[in-house]
Amino acid sequence: MPKRDLVLLALDDSTILQLMQRALRAASYETAAASDRTALNMIIQETVPALIMLGEQFDGLPGGKLAREILERFPTMPILIYTERESLLLYKEIVQAGLSGCLYPPLRNDDITGSVERSLQRARNLGDWLRREVKRTTASLERRATMSESELKRYEFIFANIQDGVIILDEDGRIQLSNRAMELAFDLPGKQTRGKLVSEVIRHPDIDSLLKRARDLPLKYHEINFDDGRIYNAQYTPIGGFGSVITMQDISYLKQLDRMKNEFVHTISHDLRSPLTSVLGYTELIQRVGSLNGQQIEFLDRIRSSVESITSLVNELLDLSRLEAGFDTRRELVHLENILKFALDTMEGQFKVNSLTLHLDIGKDLPELRGNPIRLRQLLDNLITNAVKYSSRGSTISVSLQSEDNQIIFRVADQGIGIPQSEHVRIFEKFYRASNVPDQVGGSGLGLAIVKSIVDSHQGRIWVESTMGKGSIFFVVLPAHSPDKFSVASDLNN
Ligand code: ADP
């Protein structure tokens, strides 16, 4: 036999209470009566009735107020209010509070059971609808969860098979995920690396310096060299609020191509040098062996100046290939400020001719650095000459040399033509000249490539900040000499 619905009656008037009990029981409902508010709460808590019939006043409190309190705890509970007389105000309260309805005399059995039945039916419908909605939402969530699981698998598969090495780190530098290419490159034991610090797992000096650089500068590229000849280009990308990603591409074949190209350029430059020297020699000799007319002298001058500019290009090329081949091993302790002062002295004429003002700022007690003084002079010369070359007449060039955190910082700022933002990296490439260089300003596009090679061979960094039409600032940061490193470095170089 199905369980019968329990109707809880909370009425002060005992005659009405009995009347209702009789009518409901006759219609096969179970009933319970609450004598006061405490009993009412207790019965609701323990039995959870199917419906509550509340007097308009019960135990000294308005039925409407009690009904609201009950609905706060049991929002779907059907509640009927019994009132002695019909009133518009009560109807309003019933609608506002979301109650099921009200009953008032004259009370016939049918009125009582009819109201209770209708309220229960409404509550059942509401319950059914709620259950259907919950089921529908759950099913859709389940569908979404399975979908994202399969999607996740798909992404995992793609991630694992990316040809470039990828490693994802959290904000503390702990490994979250790495793919097969990365694991193969560093011979990592797959999933066991998860949660470990990248510096613990990958012990490679180039990765260490990439991470070290990453702390100081935005978007970093770095070459990772392996003993077996492989070379990777690694990129460090911070991802705000999550951590960072290191990606690596194998560029060994590009490096090989580069080497072949360099060797080719070196051979050609080398072979050109002797004929050029002899052309220059003969231009000198021609004038000594007989008299020339004015036009012949002018033509000879043009030949000489053209040959000189080709010779300087060839010399720059040879210089660069020597630097790139790593032949620049000479190292001694130098005071960069002395080299800078010397360089500026010899450039005084250039400043004067272009009516440029020099603003010089050299820090006190600068530390020494270990380097090749001739190459460092070339570095300073090239950068300052560029500042002069690309400045407008009458402007100011500011040169500064400072030290900070065991580093020497050289900075040259001009108020010249500037460099387009998209070309800031490219200007350090061989032969690259920015798109805004005026036609009449000559150059080979090799000066900065030479500077970059010198900076690299001194374990330094170089970058430019520039605004078109306003000027450029070139920064060079070189490590200062630290005595404890000296013995190792000198052993290596000797
Ligand atoms: P170049 O012989 O053309 O001067 P560099 O290698 O020295 O070659 O410089 C490469 C390019 O970088 C230049 O052609 C020029 O476009 C740009 N550049 C270098 N220095 C400056 C500067 N101080 N101001 C503006 N542009 C510069």
Side-chain angles (χ1 to χ4, degrees), residues 386 389-390 414 419 427 432-434 437 443-448 472:
N386 275 352
K389 200 157 93 171
Y390 297 106
D414 63 55
I419 301 157
I427 53 167
Y432 193 86
R433 306 198 76 205
V437 171
S444 61
L446 284 175
L448 284 183
S472 312

